[in-house]
């Protein structure tokens, strides 16, 4: 959660609506999904702390208000352990949705075992242990590389690994816990 100061434009068609509600909606439309290298990805503007008196600009019927608002950001951190869902399997690895962003687990980082790609099934299969990774699987991984570029998530790259104890598909983690108890 971060506090930000800015100016918000309220169009004349919205003058009858509650000012704070319109300001939050306008700020969300303007900023949701924007990326800042220091703060991360802006997920939501959820609260207005201060809203100044509106000012009019000649030739524009809208009112402009100084605002101080709170915004929620998602910023992945190096070595952070994060849960996510496998959204796509490719020959070179698995794309994992981690909150509002996606990361990649390269095939070399799925398990210690040799991995084969099953094109028919769209899955990654470990040769010796027969562990499988399919679209829709829930996984726990560690962030090993981050590259935040521009102001867009399109050029953002997040590298993940699941090759450590306590990481991988949730079923693998539970199975390892059961084996450890025996």
């Amino acid at each position: 959660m971060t506090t930000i100061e800015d100016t918000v434009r309220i169009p004349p068609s919205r003058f009858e609506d509650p000012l704070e509600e319109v300001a939050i909606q306008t700020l969300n439309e303007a900023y949701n999904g924007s990326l800042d290298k220091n703060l991360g990805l802006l997920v939501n503007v959820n609260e207005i702390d201060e809203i100044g008196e509106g000012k009019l600009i000649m030739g524009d019927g809208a009112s402009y208000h100084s605002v101080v608002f709170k915004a929620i950001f998602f910023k992945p951190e190096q070595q952070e352990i994060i849960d996510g869902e496998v959204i796509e399997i490719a020959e070179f690895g698995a794309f994992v949705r981690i909150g509002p962003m996606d990361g990649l687990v390269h095939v070399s980082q799925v398990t210690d075992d040799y991995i084969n790609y099953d094109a028919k099934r769209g899955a990654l299969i470990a040769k010796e242990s027969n562990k499988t990774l399919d679209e829709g699987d829930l996984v726990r991984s560690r962030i090993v590389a981050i590259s935040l570029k521009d102001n867009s998530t399109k050029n953002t790259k997040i590298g993940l690994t699941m090759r450590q104890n306590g990481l991988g598909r949730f079923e693998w983690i539970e199975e390892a816990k059961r084996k450890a108890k025996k």
Side-chain angles (χ1 to χ4, degrees):
M1 177 99 55
T2 302
T3 302
I4 300 172
E5 291 182 42
D6 200 359
T7 301
V8 65
R9 179 185 184 273
I10 308 296
S13 62
R14 303 290 310 269
F15 284 171
E16 295 294 318
D17 299 334
L19 180 59
E20 191 170 312
E21 189 179 297
V22 175
I24 288 174
Q25 184 179 7
T26 304
L27 290 166
N28 274 313
E29 288 169 2
Y31 291 116
N32 273 7
S34 60
L35 185 65
D36 180 278
K37 287 184 180 183
N38 296 321
L39 297 172
L41 181 72
L42 192 141
V43 178
N44 189 36
V45 173
N46 61 341
E47 185 180 322
I48 302 275
D49 288 341
E50 296 174 31
I51 190 157
E53 194 171 305
K55 294 179 181 161
L56 300 176
I57 295 176
M58 191 81 137
D60 183 358
S63 66
Y64 290 80
H65 300 262
S66 299
V67 290
V68 176
F69 62 94
K70 286 194 172 47
I72 297 173
F73 286 85
F74 173 77
K75 185 172 186 214
E77 297 288 339
Q78 190 85 358
Q79 303 304 323
E80 179 180 10
I81 294 176
I82 194 158
D83 294 342
E85 179 183 357
V86 176
I87 57 166
E88 184 182 344
I89 300 285
E91 194 170 339
F92 54 85
F95 291 95
V96 178
R97 171 96 5 107
I98 50 173
M101 298 174 135
D102 298 337
L104 172 68
V105 181
H106 189 268
V107 287
S108 66
Q109 297 299 311
V110 174
T111 69
D112 290 333
D113 207 345
Y114 181 80
I115 300 289
N116 287 314
Y117 173 67
D118 183 344
K120 271 187 191 173
R121 184 172 149 194
L124 298 175
I125 303 169
K127 191 173 184 176
E128 293 176 25
S129 64
N130 284 330
K131 290 179 178 178
T132 63
L133 194 60
D134 294 278
E135 199 173 299
D137 285 345
L138 299 177
V139 297
R140 180 165 292 148
S141 55
R142 180 184 304 275
I143 297 173
V144 292
I146 302 171
S147 175
L148 301 178
K149 292 185 179 170
D150 305 328
N151 292 334
S152 162
T153 56
K154 288 181 183 178
N155 296 323
T156 297
K157 293 182 180 20
I158 300 173
L160 306 170
T161 186
M162 299 189 314
R163 283 185 63 172
Q164 297 166 340
N165 288 337
L167 301 180
R169 198 169 122 186
F170 286 176
E171 289 82 356
W172 305 347
I173 297 167
E174 289 304 315
E175 186 179 314
K177 285 180 187 177
R178 284 193 298 275
K179 285 182 180 178
K181 285 183 181 179
K182 290 181 183 179

